[in-house]
Amino acid sequence: MKNALLHTLKKTTLALALGAAVASQAASATELTVYTAVESDDLQKYAQRFNQAHPDITIRWVRDSTGVMTARLLAEKDNPRADVIWGLAATSLLLLDDEGLLEPYAPAGVEKLDPKFVDQNTPPAWVGMDAWVAAICYNTIEGEKLGVPMPTSWEDLTRPEYKGHVVMPNPSSSGTGYLDVASWIQLWGEEQAWTFMDGLHDNISRYTHSGSAPCNLAASGEAVVGVSFAFRAARLKSQGAPVEVVFPSEGLGWDMEAAAIVKGTQNLEAAQTLMDWAVSREANELYNEGYAVVAMPGVAKPIENYPADIVERMIDNDFSFAAVNRDRILQEWQRRYDGKTEAR
């Protein structure tokens, strides 16, 4: 009886000790608030991998589309709520840097990245993670049924047979939508680009607030053509959706997902740890599970449903132009086309 009681007391003492240790670890863990526009179905995977490497840091994720997150960060300029931005368009980070919202930091190993994925200031205000590239989702079943052919170019989308069958992201709320508009202007110049968008607008059934939504709508048959991005298009096709991934012949707009520390964070050391991990080979291999172009050379392996020459098809993107002219371009776009934007 006495031995049994002693054994029970030892087990209870051990359990209490373990519980206290866990509680102590939880209490000592640093919490970071991270703003992101990373696709929802990848965010959990990213979080899990980081937590495995750094269990002493917990992250409170705040996610929305690129335009919404950019506007939120600007609105919070005088009272920042985020510690780190992880997975927001580089054009947005250029804008935020101009507003003095970013804390420069050179992550450990940043010299191993392709220089075009790193802010040119020393130390850099932001670093790139991967590139997302414009593409079109075309529903083969609905297209055949409705007599809407598969497009091969951007210009095809202005033809009469596409009227009412095209869905595109609103560039004010979607980074994908903005990279489309900014890239068309860079491809053709302002006058021709707006003429093209006038013709495209005639055929648009609605503008969405999400860059992935047009591909999702095409995959489900709610639209024939969705102007979206290659990651979503390729993944849906791999999952068996009746879509073809179209890479328009004129060239592909693109932007980088990038990361930065928010100036004024009270958790600078933990924020730097996250940035160090974000540029690591492990992280770049993770990005390559969905994106064909990543920041670290030699890491990227071919992705199903992407063309082998995807890099050659990407336009020579002027990120500074896209950032500096963002407000002006969006105001003009809203004046012309916002009436077809879906309600939130």
Side-chain angles (χ1 to χ4, degrees):
M1 180 73 175
K2 183 178 179 181
N3 288 339
L5 180 60
L6 285 172
H7 181 66
T8 300
L9 285 171
K10 286 180 181 179
K11 286 177 66 177
T12 303
T13 302
L14 179 60
L16 289 171
L18 287 172
V22 170
S24 175
Q25 182 180 14
S28 64
T30 301
E31 180 177 273
L32 289 176
T33 297
V34 179
Y35 283 11
T36 183
V38 167
E39 286 292 289
S40 298
D41 45 1
D42 278 340
L43 185 55
Q44 185 175 358
K45 179 171 61 176
Y46 288 14
Q48 183 180 17
R49 300 281 184 92
F50 175 75
N51 286 336
Q52 287 173 353
H54 297 282
D56 56 324
I57 298 174
T58 60
I59 295 181
R60 185 175 76 88
W61 298 96
V62 180
R63 188 206 171 273
D64 213 315
S65 60
T66 297
V68 174
M69 293 311 317
T70 303
R72 181 168 181 167
L73 284 156
L74 289 169
E76 295 173 357
K77 177 180 178 180
D78 296 330
N79 184 27
R81 308 288 179 84
D83 297 297
V84 176
I85 303 161
W86 187 24
L88 195 64
T91 47
S92 291
L93 290 180
L94 281 166
L95 177 64
L96 297 172
D97 188 33
D98 284 344
E99 293 291 328
L101 295 176
L102 305 184
E103 178 69 39
Y105 175 63
V110 69
E111 70 281 355
K112 298 177 183 177
L113 303 186
D114 184 328
K116 71 172 175 282
F117 279 82
V118 183
D119 174 39
Q120 295 306 298
N121 291 309
T122 305
W126 54 268
V127 293
M129 301 157 51
D130 49 60
W132 90 93
V133 182
I136 295 171
C137 272
Y138 170 77
N139 187 300
T140 54
I141 296 173
E142 293 300 311
E144 182 177 356
K145 183 167 64 177
L146 297 170
V148 180
M150 185 171 73
T152 61
S153 67
W154 295 119
E155 285 286 353
D156 282 350
L157 299 183
T158 64
R159 288 161 43 187
E161 55 264 40
Y162 291 92
K163 191 173 185 65
H165 296 300
V166 183
V167 179
M168 175 186 162
N170 181 318
S172 298
S173 50
S174 163
T176 303
Y178 185 64
L179 78 81
D180 286 326
V181 173
S183 66
W184 293 331
I185 291 173
Q186 291 183 66
L187 274 171
W188 299 316
E190 296 259 354
E191 184 176 351
Q192 185 179 342
W194 289 115
T195 299
F196 162 76
M197 284 184 271
D198 286 344
L200 175 64
H201 179 70
D202 288 341
N203 290 342
I204 292 285
S205 63
R206 60 172 145 155
Y207 297 102
T208 67
H209 291 291
S210 160
S212 57
C215 254
N216 293 335
L217 292 168
S220 67
E222 296 175 70
V224 180
V225 175
V227 176
S228 189
F229 57 101
F231 165 80
R232 178 57 57 201
R235 178 166 290 185
L236 286 167
K237 182 174 173 63
S238 295
Q239 291 171 347
V243 295
E244 285 298 331
V245 186
V246 177
F247 297 92
S249 57
E250 297 96 334
L252 310 176
W254 62 286
D255 205 336
M256 281 184 246
E257 287 190 314
I261 297 174
V262 178
K263 183 168 286 187
T265 174
Q266 300 301 303
N267 300 300
L268 183 59
E269 185 176 348
Q272 291 173 338
T273 298
L274 176 55
M275 290 291 289
D276 291 345
W277 190 85
V279 305
S280 68
R281 185 177 185 90
E282 178 187 358
N284 274 263
E285 289 172 348
L286 179 60
Y287 308 148
N288 184 224
E289 291 179 13
Y291 292 88
V293 182
V294 299
M296 185 175 287
V299 168
K301 297 178 180 177
I303 301 294
E304 188 178 23
N305 302 318
Y306 277 76
D309 63 345
I310 185 72
V311 174
E312 288 73 21
R313 300 188 190 208
M314 294 160 62
I315 68 166
D316 186 12
N317 203 351
D318 186 339
F319 289 107
S320 294
F321 168 85
V324 168
N325 291 282
R326 186 174 186 273
D327 285 346
R328 176 182 65 82
I329 290 170
L330 290 179
Q331 286 175 14
E332 181 63 16
W333 188 93
Q334 289 166 352
R335 184 185 71 80
R336 290 172 179 250
Y337 313 127
D338 204 30
K340 287 188 178 180
T341 299
E342 66 183 6
R344 284 193 177 276

